[in-house]
Amino acid sequence: MSQQSAAQALRKAASERVLVFDGGYGTGIQNRKLSEADYAGDLGLDADQKGNNDLLNLTRPDVIRDIHREYLEAGADMVETNTFSSTSIALADYKAEHLVREVNLAGAKVAREAADAAQEKDGRRRFVAGAIGPTNKTLSLSPDVEDPGFREVDFDQMLGVYREQCDALIEGGVDFILIETIFDTLNAKVAAMAAQQAAQAAGREVPIMLSFTITDNSGRNLSGHTVEAFWHAVRHAQPIAVGVNCSFGADKLRPHLAALSRQADTLILAYPNAGLPNDLGEYDQEADETAELVGVWFKENLVNIVGGCCGTTPAHIAAIANAAKNAEPRTIPEVERKTRLAGLEPFTMAA
């Protein structure tokens, strides 16, 4: 099928029911207790690779394929690629920055294979989102408190970094590009530009999805934007879905999700953590509790696509999928056309 038909199929399915996204990959990988040899394989890299989860697309694709399969069997309509940290910036921490194309291409292909295999079993369309994380560099903030104007990277550098990743994900067969865990709105904007350029170069439509992350109880991301201001800043990119992920559990995300749901004239995607981490950095919220909290979202008609982030497992996704069976999908609102601007707060000009 063409990428355009993937977008049409997603919109049609989302108008009929709440769709289910997958859960955490870091959690699934950690649970498998892999060794340094599993991560490093025979690539001969000059640094320890344990913890370089995305490299497993090359060295242990069977592990990643199995995680995809578990989420699909739990009821996921969409899986994301295991490529959250597959930029040259992130892979440089492991001296693996020369493998950007290979890691992303392999990640896209293994996700595509898993999704297509699930579709062959029951005929239900499954989708693949190419995951792009934020990197540890920010265009909006200085890492040097003594020099607030300093930046470690500039816009053109980040455009090249994201473009390299997007090119490989699209070549590997993803349906969408998911720019997620957005802590810096400017990073997200350059990633969206890179995704659009890559799709144009590939000669096919690859819609983008954008997912904001809240850094504290103020409801803002690290660059200071509220979720409403964020939407004003990125709406021009015409994402097929926008939403919120990570941050907190479903209960604390609800008011911010509600604010976005009222304003965004596109699909809403949300995937919370399994509550807040404990003193050991682990997530204790059980699957049934997560599903119950997400059920409040369903009752308030806030979402079109829902899944899980840190700490969530196939059990969490199965519980969410079960709760979603009788849920009404959110109706995309018709938003009055006005001039809408964003500083750190949203600003709408009166007619």
Side-chain angles (χ1 to χ4, degrees):
M1 287 191 180
S2 69
Q3 288 308 114
Q4 184 176 8
S5 67
Q8 291 172 340
L10 183 77
R11 291 191 178 100
K12 182 176 186 300
S15 71
E16 298 168 348
R17 59 190 174 86
V18 174
L19 303 182
V20 179
F21 195 50
D22 60 11
Y25 281 79
T27 302
I29 290 168
Q30 290 166 15
N31 288 342
R32 282 161 170 78
K33 310 296 183 185
L34 301 178
S35 68
E36 168 65 22
D38 288 308
Y39 284 91
D42 59 0
L43 296 175
L45 298 171
D46 294 331
D48 290 344
Q49 297 301 313
K50 192 168 184 179
N52 188 1
N53 289 345
D54 295 10
L55 194 66
L56 295 170
N57 296 336
L58 297 177
T59 57
R60 289 295 306 272
D62 57 308
V63 169
I64 306 307
R65 184 179 294 107
D66 194 47
I67 295 173
H68 288 315
R69 178 188 57 77
E70 288 180 348
Y71 282 128
L72 290 161
E73 290 180 351
D77 296 287
M78 183 185 303
V79 293
E80 63 178 311
T81 56
N82 178 48
T83 56
F84 182 85
S85 299
S86 297
T87 59
S88 58
I89 288 174
L91 288 175
D93 291 342
Y94 296 93
K95 298 184 179 181
E97 60 269 34
H98 59 290
L99 294 175
V100 168
R101 181 179 180 277
E102 289 83 354
V103 171
N104 283 282
L105 189 61
K109 286 183 175 179
V110 73
R112 181 81 270 164
E113 290 166 3
D116 290 349
Q119 183 175 337
E120 287 177 9
K121 288 183 179 180
D122 60 16
R124 192 171 94 243
R125 181 71 183 266
R126 303 309 202 284
F127 303 96
V128 175
I132 296 181
T135 83
N136 60 0
K137 309 294 183 187
T138 169
L139 287 168
S140 296
L141 302 170
S142 172
D144 184 354
V145 295
E146 302 296 330
D147 185 1
F150 173 72
R151 299 292 185 271
E152 291 181 280
V153 291
D154 63 29
F155 191 95
D156 289 340
Q157 285 176 289
M158 291 301 294
L159 182 64
V161 165
Y162 283 127
R163 175 65 190 273
E164 183 180 24
Q165 184 176 21
C166 290
D167 283 338
L169 288 171
I170 291 172
E171 182 181 348
V174 302
D175 297 306
F176 311 104
I177 294 292
L178 170 64
I179 302 162
E180 64 176 343
T181 319
I182 295 167
F183 68 78
D184 182 344
T185 302
L186 188 53
N187 279 32
K189 293 178 79 167
V190 71
M193 179 182 287
Q196 291 169 334
Q197 289 181 355
Q200 184 176 20
R204 60 186 182 92
E205 182 189 12
V206 186
I208 63 171
M209 298 176 170
L210 299 169
S211 189
F212 180 93
T213 195
I214 298 164
T215 54
D216 57 39
N217 289 328
S218 71
R220 300 175 185 272
N221 67 357
L222 192 64
S223 58
H225 295 90
T226 65
V227 69
E228 299 98 326
F230 169 75
W231 174 240
H232 283 195
V234 300
R235 184 183 178 277
H236 68 281
Q238 299 181 313
I240 194 170
V242 68
V244 186
N245 77 287
C246 204
S247 310
F248 314 119
D251 51 346
K252 292 185 180 296
L253 272 186
R254 190 201 62 76
H256 310 293
L257 184 60
L260 182 61
S261 183
R262 287 191 296 267
Q263 293 202 14
D265 51 347
T266 191
L267 299 175
I268 290 289
L269 164 68
Y271 44 118
N273 292 342
L276 294 172
N278 60 28
D279 291 340
L280 299 176
E282 298 173 343
Y283 294 85
D284 300 323
Q285 191 174 91
E286 298 292 337
D288 288 346
E289 184 179 358
T290 298
E292 182 179 355
L293 293 171
V294 168
V296 176
W297 298 356
F298 299 153
K299 291 176 183 177
E300 297 182 3
N301 200 230
L302 299 181
V303 290
N304 302 104
I305 310 168
V306 61
C309 199
C310 301
T312 58
T313 66
H316 290 79
I317 299 309
I320 289 171
N322 186 59
K325 285 180 180 178
N326 298 317
E328 289 291 326
R330 166 183 170 271
T331 301
I332 297 175
E334 291 188 13
V335 179
E336 184 180 0
R337 184 168 181 172
K338 292 185 176 181
T339 299
R340 303 176 194 274
L341 308 173
L344 298 184
E345 303 282 345
F347 175 74
T348 301
M349 291 183 65

